[in-house]
Amino acid sequence: MSEQSSIMNRMFLLFGFLLLLPAGILLQLLRVNVAEGDGLRELWNSQAIDYVSIPAQRGDIYDTTGSLLATNRVIYKVAIDPKTVGRSSQDVHRIAQTLSNHTSRSANYYLRKIQNADSRSQYVVLERSVPVQTFEDLNLLGIRGLILEEEYRRNYNFGSLASHVLGFVNHEMKGMAGLEAEYNDLLKGTDGLQQVRKDPFNNIFAYVGAPRRQPVQGYSLHTTINSQMQAIAEEELEAGVERHMAEKGTVIIMDPKTGAVEAMTNFPYFNPNSPATIENENRRNYAISDQIEPGSTFKVTTAIAAIEQDLVDFNEKFETPDTGYKMIHGQTMRDHDPLGTMTFQEVISKSSNIATSEIAMRMEPESFYQYARNLGFGTPTQIDLPGETEGRLQRPYEWSLVTLPWMSIGYEVQVTPIQLAQAYAAIANEGVMMKPFVVESVRDEFGEILKQRKPMSVRRVAKKETIKKLIPILEDVVSDSGTAGWASVEGLRIAGKTGTAQKFKDGRYRTKYRASFVGFFPVENPKHVILVLLDEPKTSIYGGFTAGSIFKEIATRISGLDNAIETPDTRDVIAKNLPNVAPKLTGLLAADASTLLKENGIPFQATGKGTHVVEQNPVSGEEITPNKPIEIKLATLSADSIPDGYAQIPDLTNLNMRQATYLLLNRGFEIETIGSGTIYTQFPRAGDFMKKGRTVTVRGKSKSMNQSQSIAAN
């Protein structure tokens, strides 16, 4: 009995232990779901839910006419995870064949690339950039392990055009120079967020109904840069630097009445689409960052101060030594040539250092210093570009005995090119200095103006009466008797001043020079101020011959763009009958090119297949041989880089008004005609991308002008 009782006790004890297991499980379930349920669910959510960034689109940058200078483009990258897809699976062959259908490579090329990849690799790039159609076809395959990525890259539509103004971005689309850096916070926008789920292997999955915060797209900048003037400035500066064998050069074009910078360039320039391919030095904007001794262009400071304080009589005679040099406080002051006896006007127009310094020494140092400050020297212009320096203008208590005479001719003072351009713009604007700027408005993605910049006056630098007396003197500089005869343009009144400055390097002045010319036109109603600066020209050290000749070419071409500044010599050339030349066909639709040639009775022969003309012979501008057909080559051009709602402006020169109207309306543009007959100039320029619905202005003359294109191009 006791043995049976012992067995039963052991059974009850075992049964009790067995009951404790489900009871413990039940209690644990109650604890997990009731007591600690909320905390554990929150912990699970924090581990299983994540957020991914939705990148905002960087804002565009436009020129003053609406041409798109900087925008974004999508790069579609194709990669594969061999461990997921398999190196020899049917899916791999489908991927390779689809890529082969859209590229010039065979399917075996992609198969070999996968086979030769490291056995541990889970990411093999097959193509770094494919068209959107290829991307879509691959996406339709729905193959797990096929990796399709979208990357946004910055695209500068005109390559190096205005590169120092626009700047560039890094691989993270962050502005690193120019407007891209100065307005980075406005351009970049605000990224959005998308909630996603993660599996135990850390793979991310989107799910229906997930919270989402939309990105705020970056704002766009509408600049004062005129891309046509910018192109002219760049072409002429490059040609001038090479012609005069200079180390580098700078050109600035400003509107004196508003301070708007219409063009700003340095040579050598760089391509912001690939900024790493050029030296850092060439990416620096010399126009605002270089501090230079200006030389004789600074003499306007002396002239204004002398006129305002009645320290000179316009009939006064200034005698200079026959030797061409004079000792001042133990230092030798030289003229470029012995100039003899001169009037005050001739002192400036012939750029006499000796007479200018003599005039300056009639002034108090504090007075001269104040006039220099009033003209903006020694203080930054506050232009909306990064990297501006303020120059260096010593205060009078820092001066030596020779500072005043040497500063009066542009030594012992350092200025930036933009300061010099601003000072001459003030003279052109009747003595009122305007603050220079590049961005005229900031707009959102819908085109609504968020910020509109209004022209801002800084100060009056001189009385109107003083400026009226000074301008004829500066106009005389650009004459046969002045130092800037090379800058003159027939029929166009120009005022300005030359500059030649010896370079100070390693503690002493070297036999190397900077040459410059700053001028404005037309004198009766100044519209443009142009500064040209060359560093170490080899053909001549004098600014009139080197920088002045570049100024002349730029001024001639710019005046041809403005109806109000048409010069007599331009009209005479336009009126002439000129020989027939080949129209520009490259870039036109094949149908448009065919219509154009047939209407002009020009025989042609087409080769290849495609939508656009990609080559022509003879090229645009060359004389056509009678009865010999023009050869054109056709191909299909990718439109990936053309933003939605935009089209490329065709070349309309040498067409009649009806032909131009047909081409423009066919591309979605409006047309404004000035004159009639054959078109010899257009605005905006050919090749620009512009929003459909905007207006292209064309200008024609009734007589044949098949070579008048050269007026705007030379």
Side-chain angles (χ1 to χ4, degrees):
M1 189 70 179
S2 62
E3 184 178 350
Q4 185 178 4
S5 178
S6 177
I7 292 172
M8 290 298 292
N9 288 337
R10 285 197 294 272
M11 289 180 64
F12 280 122
L13 184 61
L14 180 61
F15 183 69
F17 279 120
L18 290 174
L19 286 176
L20 286 175
L21 182 61
I25 294 173
L26 181 62
L27 289 172
Q28 184 68 2
L29 288 172
L30 290 172
R31 184 185 69 81
V32 169
N33 284 279
V34 179
E36 300 180 14
D38 292 340
L40 292 171
R41 274 188 290 273
E42 185 177 344
L43 179 62
W44 178 84
N45 281 333
S46 67
Q47 294 176 339
I49 292 178
D50 201 356
Y51 293 89
V52 294
S53 175
I54 305 173
Q57 290 292 301
R58 193 171 180 86
D60 297 327
I61 303 178
Y62 300 85
D63 84 340
T64 191
T65 66
S67 294
L68 193 57
L69 300 177
T71 186
N72 307 305
R73 61 189 175 99
V74 182
I75 299 295
Y76 298 102
K77 185 188 290 186
V78 182
I80 192 173
D81 179 0
K83 289 191 174 182
T84 303
V85 182
R87 292 177 181 266
S88 303
S89 67
Q90 188 64 32
D91 285 342
V92 167
H93 284 79
R94 290 169 61 200
I95 293 170
Q97 189 58 52
T98 302
L99 279 171
S100 178
N101 293 340
H102 290 276
T103 66
S104 58
R105 296 186 172 110
S106 66
N108 286 333
Y109 167 84
Y110 298 105
L111 293 173
R112 285 195 301 271
K113 200 167 188 178
I114 297 169
Q115 293 293 339
N116 295 336
D118 191 284
S119 59
R120 296 169 296 178
S121 177
Q122 291 182 274
Y123 186 81
V124 179
V125 177
L126 301 180
E127 286 288 352
R128 295 194 176 276
S129 178
V130 297
V132 62
Q133 188 59 53
T134 308
F135 179 86
E136 291 174 353
D137 288 352
L138 288 168
N139 199 33
L140 289 174
L141 296 177
I143 297 174
R144 183 177 173 83
L146 174 61
I147 304 168
L148 302 175
E149 299 176 338
E150 293 183 8
E151 294 182 5
Y152 288 96
R153 300 281 177 84
R154 200 63 164 162
N155 186 59
Y156 300 90
N157 291 339
F158 302 110
S160 60
L161 187 76
S163 56
H164 290 97
V165 176
L166 297 176
F168 59 94
V169 298
N170 63 10
H171 66 285
E172 296 177 338
M173 292 285 278
K174 179 182 178 182
M176 301 301 292
L179 293 176
E180 295 279 23
E182 182 73 9
Y183 289 90
N184 185 65
D185 290 343
L186 292 175
L187 287 165
K188 70 179 182 181
T190 304
D191 291 346
L193 284 177
Q194 169 75 56
Q195 192 180 85
V196 294
R197 293 192 184 280
K198 293 192 298 186
D199 65 12
F201 302 101
N202 228 23
N203 294 315
I204 293 176
F205 300 95
Y207 66 95
V208 178
R212 178 188 180 96
R213 188 184 75 198
Q214 294 293 342
V216 178
Q217 308 301 356
Y219 297 141
S220 294
L221 306 180
H222 288 252
T223 71
T224 60
I225 296 297
N226 182 310
S227 56
Q228 199 163 9
M229 290 187 189
Q230 181 74 33
I232 290 171
E234 292 188 8
E235 290 168 10
E236 296 300 341
L237 178 62
E238 180 177 3
V241 167
E242 293 176 353
R243 182 168 65 249
H244 296 294
M245 296 178 285
E247 293 297 313
K248 60 185 181 182
T250 295
V251 168
I252 300 172
I253 305 177
M254 285 179 62
D255 181 343
K257 292 181 174 62
T258 64
V261 176
E262 298 170 308
M264 178 183 286
T265 184
N266 305 286
F267 184 82
Y269 39 69
F270 69 96
N271 189 340
N273 289 309
S274 51
T277 60
I278 199 164
E279 298 176 7
N280 289 336
E281 175 69 13
N282 291 340
R283 298 201 297 258
R284 188 164 56 84
N285 190 352
Y286 312 131
I288 63 172
S289 63
D290 270 17
Q291 298 185 146
I292 62 169
E293 288 183 308
S296 294
T297 51
F298 196 78
K299 288 176 181 175
V300 292
T301 305
T302 309
I304 288 174
I307 295 171
E308 288 248 307
Q309 299 177 85
D310 293 324
L311 297 177
V312 291
D313 186 326
F314 277 60
N315 296 318
E316 183 179 355
K317 299 294 184 180
F318 294 87
E319 295 183 3
T320 59
D322 294 337
T323 58
Y325 66 88
K326 179 182 179 181
M327 299 301 293
I328 301 177
H329 299 302
Q331 299 289 327
T332 304
M333 176 73 72
R334 297 180 183 275
D335 279 338
H336 52 86
D337 289 301
L339 297 173
T341 302
M342 295 168 286
T343 63
F344 174 66
Q345 180 165 329
E346 290 172 327
V347 168
I348 303 300
S349 65
K350 294 183 178 181
S351 201
S352 170
N353 293 335
I354 295 173
T356 301
S357 62
E358 178 186 327
I359 293 168
M361 287 188 290
R362 298 177 182 181
M363 307 176 197
E364 293 296 326
E366 292 78 9
S367 174
F368 185 88
Y369 170 81
Q370 192 56 56
Y371 277 100
R373 290 284 289 189
N374 287 347
L375 281 164
F377 301 118
T379 58
T381 67
Q382 302 295 337
I383 189 173
D384 50 339
L385 286 171
E388 183 188 12
T389 55
E390 62 181 18
R392 185 169 185 270
L393 178 65
Q394 298 181 83
R395 296 182 180 276
Y397 64 78
E398 299 176 283
W399 293 8
S400 67
L401 288 175
V402 298
T403 298
L404 179 57
W406 259 262
M407 187 181 290
S408 72
I409 64 169
Y411 286 92
E412 291 204 29
V413 58
Q414 291 182 320
V415 308
T416 62
I418 188 64
Q419 286 175 335
L420 205 52
Q422 183 188 34
Y424 277 79
I427 295 170
N429 193 33
E430 299 183 323
V432 177
M433 177 177 285
M434 305 300 292
K435 180 180 177 180
F437 65 97
V438 179
V439 173
E440 60 184 359
S441 68
V442 178
R443 309 187 188 195
D444 64 16
E445 58 183 308
F446 305 108
E448 294 295 323
I449 297 177
L450 304 176
K451 180 182 178 182
Q452 182 76 47
R453 187 188 297 273
K454 295 180 180 179
M456 182 184 300
S457 64
V458 179
R459 71 179 71 87
R460 174 169 284 283
V461 302
K463 300 173 184 175
K464 277 188 179 182
E465 293 74 15
T466 301
I467 299 301
K468 287 180 180 179
K469 293 176 182 178
L470 177 64
I471 286 180
I473 299 175
L474 296 179
E475 191 173 3
D476 196 47
V477 172
V478 191
S479 67
D480 292 339
S481 60
T483 57
W486 287 92
S488 64
V489 177
E490 186 179 349
L492 187 64
R493 292 180 63 192
I494 298 170
K497 187 70 188 76
T498 55
T500 301
Q502 200 168 0
K503 294 179 69 173
F504 188 81
K505 192 174 181 180
D506 298 329
R508 67 185 182 90
Y509 284 99
R510 307 282 176 170
T511 54
K512 295 181 178 180
Y513 297 82
R514 292 187 182 92
S516 59
F517 180 78
V518 195
F520 52 87
F521 62 89
V523 167
E524 58 272 21
N525 182 24
K527 292 194 171 185
H528 308 288
V529 173
I530 303 177
L531 173 143
V532 181
L533 173 68
L534 294 182
D535 188 64
E536 298 183 21
K538 306 298 188 300
T539 57
S540 171
I541 65 172
Y542 297 117
F545 175 71
T546 54
S549 61
I550 297 173
F551 175 97
K552 175 180 181 175
E553 298 301 323
I554 296 173
T556 302
R557 295 177 66 180
I558 287 178
S559 63
L561 300 176
D562 193 328
N563 296 334
I565 319 180
E566 187 174 350
T567 58
D569 56 319
T570 302
R571 289 195 297 269
D572 292 341
V573 175
I574 289 172
K576 294 179 181 178
N577 288 317
L578 300 169
N580 288 329
V581 295
K584 183 174 180 180
L585 304 171
T586 53
L588 290 181
L589 290 168
D592 291 345
S594 176
T595 301
L596 175 62
L597 293 170
K598 287 177 180 177
E599 287 192 353
N600 282 280
I602 301 174
F604 67 96
Q605 182 176 355
T607 58
K609 294 181 179 180
T611 57
H612 289 75
V613 178
V614 294
E615 292 181 18
Q616 70 175 89
N617 183 32
V619 298
S620 172
E622 286 190 1
E623 188 172 351
I624 299 172
T625 303
N627 301 320
K628 183 177 180 181
I630 289 181
E631 298 175 2
I632 60 174
K633 182 178 179 181
L634 305 179
T636 299
L637 297 180
S638 171
D640 291 345
S641 61
I642 303 178
D644 291 339
Y646 282 76
Q648 191 174 30
I649 299 171
D651 190 337
L652 306 172
T653 50
N654 299 316
L655 306 185
N656 60 43
M657 294 296 180
R658 183 170 58 83
Q659 294 165 342
T661 302
Y662 169 80
L663 288 178
L664 291 174
L665 294 180
N666 197 39
R667 296 198 179 194
F669 298 123
E670 299 295 327
I671 183 171
E672 178 187 1
T673 60
I674 300 174
S676 60
T678 304
I679 294 168
Y680 67 91
T681 188
Q682 68 181 84
F683 186 76
R685 66 178 183 177
D688 284 5
F689 293 106
M690 192 167 74
K691 204 167 188 176
K692 293 180 180 179
R694 292 183 180 267
T695 300
V696 176
T697 301
V698 296
R699 195 171 172 201
K701 289 284 182 180
S702 56
K703 293 186 177 182
S704 175
M705 295 177 293
N706 293 326
Q707 285 184 341
S708 61
Q709 177 181 0
S710 62
I711 295 167
N714 295 324

